[in-house]
Amino acid sequence: MRAGAACRAGRPNTGEASEGVGSEIFRELARMVATLAEVQGLRSFALPYPGLAQRALDRTVMHCLDVGETPPRSLPELWEWCRTRPAGDPLFAVPASLVTPGATLVHPVGRMPTRSCLEVASHGPDGGVAAHAHALLGELEARCGTDERYQQCRRFLARHPVVHQRDRFGLGWSKAVWSRVKDLYGPLPESLLVDGDFLGCPSCGLPALSRDGTVPVPGPSATDADIWCEGEECPRDAPPELIREPDQARILRRSLRTFLALPHRTEEVALDALDRAGIDHEALSGPLSAYRLRDTGPEIVDIQVYDRLQPALLAAHLTDSAPPADRTLVVVPNALAGRNCYREAFADALPALLRKRLVLTTPVDLVPDLNGPG
């Protein structure tokens, strides 16, 4: 009770948080960072700035002048603000009930968009980066023609955020699958190369970068503080994987890396738990990782799998998408659900009418929660 009360201190119970001009600017900056990182990376910008960036810079300058703070003088300086000024900075004052106060938009080591940045950029009517991933999968599903072909292609994308030329000669390679998904891959961008090589996280398979811009030496020196990967939460008990011929590799679109490939490990563990319990399920179109459970009696029960750092934004996404089932179990990684206040923040951000219909759980607790009271 004490922990729950502490988490809820100052947190509204309506599922909504009041947002001011600073919050709006923080969201606009998130969209800018996410968009420009796709175009040219975050390392250098030349005048004239892209329109999206110039508008965000202008709004930030005006806001600083309104509140009596010295404004950024250029886009590179604004980028440094995105790296060092978190959501809770007085300039932004994003409600803690919406985004964790320490969240920044640019990672201090990788100098690339943070996961929180992409989640903030996906919050709003257009759905941002997450909606882009959804649209790409929708187009793929239409091309595949059958659900079986689509699920094969979806699994390939989730398991292969990076594809090397040599992979095509390995066991299990399907020319048919590759022909349907290859347009969702592109060349490795220069912004993700280190000394001309590509580093891949051994845990999540997503791109990695070193703090000093050099290929890390294997061993204890490659610590959390020295290495960044797009997954951000991965252990550093093994050195990054190295691709010395980056021109021979292709990388999955960023939106699919973040919102499909990243939660796939959690999805596979959750589905294994259902299979061991003898619970049948079928994949659903629509959400990126969603399944309907069979033989649940008169009640319609779905599961949806996510790996989101911001629980309130996850709740807002689920509220907007209005899950049609009587009960939806929202599965997130064990480590996230175990964080201080994560569950409470998720529940508090839901409208009261949805709190019994949307149940936050983990792969470990999925079957017990499924069999618990509805």
Side-chain angles (χ1 to χ4, degrees):
M1 290 295 291
R2 291 181 182 176
C7 289
R8 291 182 171 85
R11 200 184 289 277
N13 291 321
T14 61
E16 299 179 355
S18 59
E19 298 183 56
V21 174
S23 290
E24 294 175 2
I25 291 175
F26 190 77
R27 187 185 301 175
E28 184 172 353
L29 290 174
R31 290 194 292 264
M32 177 193 73
V33 168
T35 301
L36 294 187
E38 284 294 284
V39 175
Q40 62 191 80
L42 306 183
R43 301 193 176 192
S44 64
F45 294 93
L47 288 168
Y49 298 143
L52 178 77
Q54 188 64 59
R55 286 191 298 272
L57 177 59
D58 292 345
R59 284 202 68 192
T60 305
V61 169
M62 292 302 298
H63 180 53
C64 287
L65 295 176
D66 287 342
V67 300
E69 182 160 345
T70 302
R73 294 167 294 181
S74 63
L75 186 56
E77 188 170 325
L78 181 59
W79 239 248
E80 184 63 18
W81 283 27
C82 292
R83 190 176 75 90
T84 58
R85 291 192 175 224
D89 187 283
L91 181 70
F92 302 124
V94 180
S97 55
L98 187 66
V99 178
T100 51
T104 60
L105 300 178
V106 175
H107 196 277
V109 174
R111 297 183 179 272
M112 300 295 285
T114 60
R115 287 174 54 186
S116 290
C117 173
L118 300 182
E119 292 174 22
V120 172
S122 300
H123 177 55
D126 64 357
V129 185
H132 180 253
H134 181 275
L136 291 176
L137 287 182
E139 294 168 2
L140 174 63
E141 186 173 16
R143 286 200 305 272
C144 287
T146 69
D147 182 66
E148 181 180 1
R149 284 200 290 265
Y150 170 65
Q151 292 301 329
Q152 288 175 340
C153 291
R154 183 186 174 281
R155 282 192 296 272
F156 180 92
L157 296 175
R159 294 172 178 173
H160 298 85
V162 178
V163 175
H164 195 276
Q165 180 72 25
R166 61 175 175 265
D167 295 336
R168 305 183 191 189
F169 303 100
L171 293 175
W173 180 266
S174 170
K175 291 182 179 180
V177 169
W178 178 244
S179 69
R180 298 187 186 102
V181 303
K182 63 183 179 180
D183 65 321
L184 296 175
Y185 290 80
L188 294 174
E190 186 177 347
S191 59
L192 291 178
L193 300 184
V194 176
D195 285 346
D197 297 328
F198 175 81
L199 304 179
C201 174
S203 297
C204 66
L206 299 180
L209 291 170
S210 61
R211 179 185 291 275
D212 60 3
T214 61
V215 176
V217 177
S221 61
T223 64
D224 285 345
D226 298 320
I227 301 295
W228 161 88
C229 76
E230 279 188 347
E232 293 184 16
E233 305 291 301
C234 297
R236 297 288 180 263
D237 51 4
E241 298 173 350
L242 186 63
I243 294 179
R244 295 193 179 278
E245 300 173 327
D247 58 327
Q248 299 295 310
R250 308 283 287 179
I251 190 167
L252 187 63
R253 302 275 191 94
R254 182 192 297 272
S255 62
L256 291 172
R257 298 199 305 266
T258 301
F259 294 106
L260 175 66
L262 186 61
H264 186 67
R265 289 174 297 170
T266 302
E267 178 182 341
E268 289 192 321
V269 177
L271 296 182
D272 285 345
L274 292 177
D275 290 340
R276 288 196 304 271
I279 300 172
D280 291 334
H281 49 82
E282 60 181 347
L284 294 176
S285 298
L288 296 181
S289 302
Y291 297 84
R292 177 149 296 166
L293 306 186
R294 300 189 182 120
D295 302 323
T296 56
E299 188 180 47
I300 299 175
V301 180
D302 291 348
I303 70 166
Q304 292 190 25
V305 183
Y306 294 91
D307 192 339
R308 304 277 185 105
L309 295 183
Q310 299 297 330
L313 296 184
L314 174 57
H317 164 72
L318 290 163
T319 299
D320 292 340
S321 59
D326 298 311
R327 189 158 55 113
T328 299
L329 285 86
V330 182
V331 186
V332 300
N334 298 313
L336 282 185
R339 285 186 175 178
N340 186 36
C341 297
Y342 190 96
R343 291 177 180 270
E344 290 82 357
F346 176 82
D348 288 350
L350 290 173
L353 292 176
L354 288 180
R355 288 176 188 168
K356 289 187 177 180
R357 290 180 54 197
L358 294 169
V359 180
L360 190 76
T361 187
T362 68
V364 172
D365 297 327
L366 174 58
V367 173
D369 283 345
L370 175 63
N371 294 328

